[in-house]
Amino acid sequence: MERANGYRLGMRACQVGHRVAFATAAEWVDRLAAAHQPGNLAAELTRLGRYPLIMVDEVGYIPFGSEAANLFFQLISNRYERASVIVTSNKPFGRWGEVFGDEIAWPPP
């Protein structure tokens, strides 16, 4: 999603009273990696699940290594059909394989 549109949606969610957590993709991965090291990843994902909306900014500015891509996948898959995620990126969806280090498997069918 275009960055400005993502911000507008996030701000509107806040204005109507929704809790929103915002960070860059790198910050989300760092947060999850810090929780993963001592074995607290599941607890951190549960905590984040309490936010109706999280915003992930700057996907694509820095390519993810395999561990970072795995953590990011866990964040997104944990929220699947339970809570909302807004992702902003400077890359078109078709080039996200460059970000996640797997151009063969991306985009999904």
Side-chain angles (χ1 to χ4, degrees):
M1 168 177 293
E2 185 179 303
R3 191 176 211 179
N5 290 334
Y7 286 152
R8 280 192 282 274
L9 283 172
M11 290 299 296
R12 185 67 185 135
C14 289
Q15 290 169 348
V16 298
H18 294 290
R19 292 179 60 207
V20 177
F22 174 90
T24 65
E27 290 167 340
W28 283 119
V29 168
D30 288 346
R31 179 176 177 166
L32 295 175
H36 182 61
Q37 294 299 333
N40 297 326
L41 180 59
E44 181 64 16
L45 290 170
T46 298
R47 257 189 304 281
L48 292 172
R50 294 183 186 126
Y51 287 91
L53 172 63
I54 65 168
M55 295 181 62
V56 182
D57 193 25
E58 299 181 357
V59 171
Y61 283 89
I62 301 171
F64 288 149
S66 61
E67 179 65 23
N70 178 49
L71 290 169
F72 187 78
F73 174 79
Q74 288 187 57
L75 173 66
I76 300 303
S77 67
N78 186 264
R79 299 182 66 80
Y80 181 70
E81 292 189 357
R82 291 188 231 173
S84 298
V85 179
I86 293 176
V87 177
T88 66
S89 179
N90 66 333
K91 294 199 180 291
F93 185 70
R95 291 187 53 202
W96 279 22
E98 298 169 15
V99 176
F100 297 106
D102 191 354
E103 295 182 47
I104 303 295
W106 198 268

